[in-house]
Amino acid sequence: QMGRAIGGFDAYTTTNVLRGRGLSSSAAFEVLVASIMNHLYCAGSLTPVQTALAAHYAENCFFGKPSGLLDQLSCAVGGVIEADIRDPESPLVRRFPLDLAQRGCALCMLDDQVSHADLVEDFAAIPREMGEVARCLGRQFLRDVRYETFLEAIPRLRSLCGDRAVLRAYHFFQEDRRVPLQCQALEEGDMEAFFRLARQSGRSSFMFLQNASNYRDSAAQPLAVLQALAEELLGGRGAVRVHGGGFAGTVAAFVPLDLLEGFVQGMEAMAGRGICHVLNFRSTGAALLVN
């Protein structure tokens, strides 16, 4: 559809990305395949953003998951990015050079060892409900709705869309304000401000977006348990939040380096061996290593 040459190939692949844990494993594979096609048949002419768009098309139309574009952009572009997807065919992407070790912290992913591969409907409900709120206010997307208009309409929205949709819309508005502040904190090297905002984001995700558990089985809440244990071990420092789409998978913890050893030991003592993974950001995205 993009007018590019395509063809077949044989590939041997390997990965250490945890699957079904909200770590963009499907996006990583999609970007890998798109990048192979790009270099085998398109002379490497596709930009990382174009590669991400092709991968995102596969996610939505063939994997059947109505996710946004952020996972594929992160895999294709690499590093830490800010993305504005008002125009989904031409997203605006800005990269941030971020060496966590130089900033005195580490990124830990806490694995609840539960796959979210069968939770597509839970993910799909989030944009669907936000879209319902937007349409009740005469717009297609919440980003085009004035926050004050939303607040004034809450009584009507609760009746038309339900309380959960209203809470999820509230999370959207708050998060949309937080992201520029998080980017500013990273630009200024103010990690304490970034951590504070990340903690706020995590709690809003838990309380208002409601993606910490699927609530079909309210007795099983492994992500919430991991988040509680991590906050206890951090003692108010760093930040903890549900990672990825939530419902199952992983919790992200930004851990000060002086706490790292005790944090890993504490998490694995309380939640099980092998659940805490210390990760690094890779500064490059999908890349051809040997031509």
Side-chain angles (χ1 to χ4, degrees):
Q1 291 179 15
M2 294 168 67
R4 304 285 181 162
I6 59 172
F9 57 88
D10 294 324
Y12 173 85
T13 70
T14 183
T15 183
N16 57 9
V17 179
L18 296 171
R19 299 181 183 187
R21 302 292 198 274
L23 295 178
S24 305
S25 57
S26 59
F29 184 76
E30 293 151 4
V31 168
L32 168 66
V33 173
S35 298
I36 292 173
M37 298 280 275
N38 182 26
H39 289 287
L40 283 181
Y41 296 104
C42 305
S45 61
L46 272 69
T47 66
V49 170
Q50 289 174 315
T51 302
L53 290 170
H56 180 243
Y57 180 88
E59 177 95 10
N60 287 175
C61 298
F62 293 95
F63 187 55
K65 186 175 178 181
S67 66
L69 182 58
L70 285 177
D71 286 3
Q72 288 80 12
L73 281 175
S74 296
C75 293
V77 175
V80 179
I81 66 169
E82 174 195 19
D84 186 327
I85 315 177
R86 177 182 288 276
D87 180 356
E89 297 303 315
S90 183
L92 302 177
V93 180
R94 183 167 57 132
R95 294 184 61 190
F96 292 90
L98 178 61
D99 186 326
L100 284 176
Q102 287 185 349
R103 303 286 180 91
C105 70
L107 174 63
C108 293
M109 283 295 168
L110 311 175
D111 178 14
D112 72 357
Q113 301 180 327
V114 178
S115 174
H116 66 199
D118 62 345
L119 298 173
V120 172
E121 173 53 29
D122 295 272
F123 294 112
I126 292 176
R128 183 173 65 243
E129 291 176 9
M130 289 185 179
E132 289 170 358
V133 172
R135 285 189 291 276
C136 284
L137 297 172
R139 296 289 185 269
Q140 184 177 1
F141 301 110
L142 285 177
R143 69 177 297 162
D144 297 320
V145 175
R146 291 177 62 251
Y147 182 51
E148 293 74 17
T149 300
F150 164 73
L151 292 178
E152 293 169 0
I154 283 179
R156 179 167 61 93
L157 293 171
R158 292 181 65 191
S159 175
L160 293 173
C161 305
D163 287 346
R164 188 174 71 174
V166 170
L167 289 170
R168 285 174 163 172
Y170 178 77
H171 166 81
F172 167 83
F173 286 110
Q174 296 300 315
E175 194 76 348
D176 204 42
R177 293 177 169 186
R178 257 189 298 269
V179 169
L181 297 177
Q182 288 178 299
C183 293
Q184 180 182 342
L186 290 178
E187 284 184 315
E188 296 174 354
D190 189 347
M191 294 305 292
E192 288 305 315
F194 176 79
F195 292 152
R196 183 180 68 254
L197 291 163
R199 288 193 294 268
Q200 292 175 7
S201 175
R203 287 170 185 167
S204 179
S205 185
F206 198 123
M207 295 169 59
F208 305 127
L209 190 62
Q210 298 184 34
N211 66 339
S213 302
N214 63 41
Y215 301 108
R216 282 174 283 174
D217 179 8
S218 60
Q221 299 190 36
L223 283 182
V225 171
L226 289 181
Q227 189 164 337
L229 295 176
E231 288 192 359
E232 176 67 22
L233 289 169
L234 287 174
R237 298 177 64 191
V240 180
R241 60 158 297 121
V242 172
H243 182 72
F247 300 109
T250 49
V251 169
F254 292 93
V255 183
L257 291 178
D258 61 305
L259 298 180
L260 182 60
E261 182 177 358
F263 180 85
V264 173
Q265 291 176 354
M267 286 302 307
E268 301 211 337
M270 292 188 289
R273 292 188 61 184
I275 66 100
C276 186
H277 304 267
V278 183
L279 305 183
N280 293 301
F281 296 123
R282 194 173 86 167
S283 59
T284 58
L288 178 67
L289 299 181
V290 179
N291 192 344

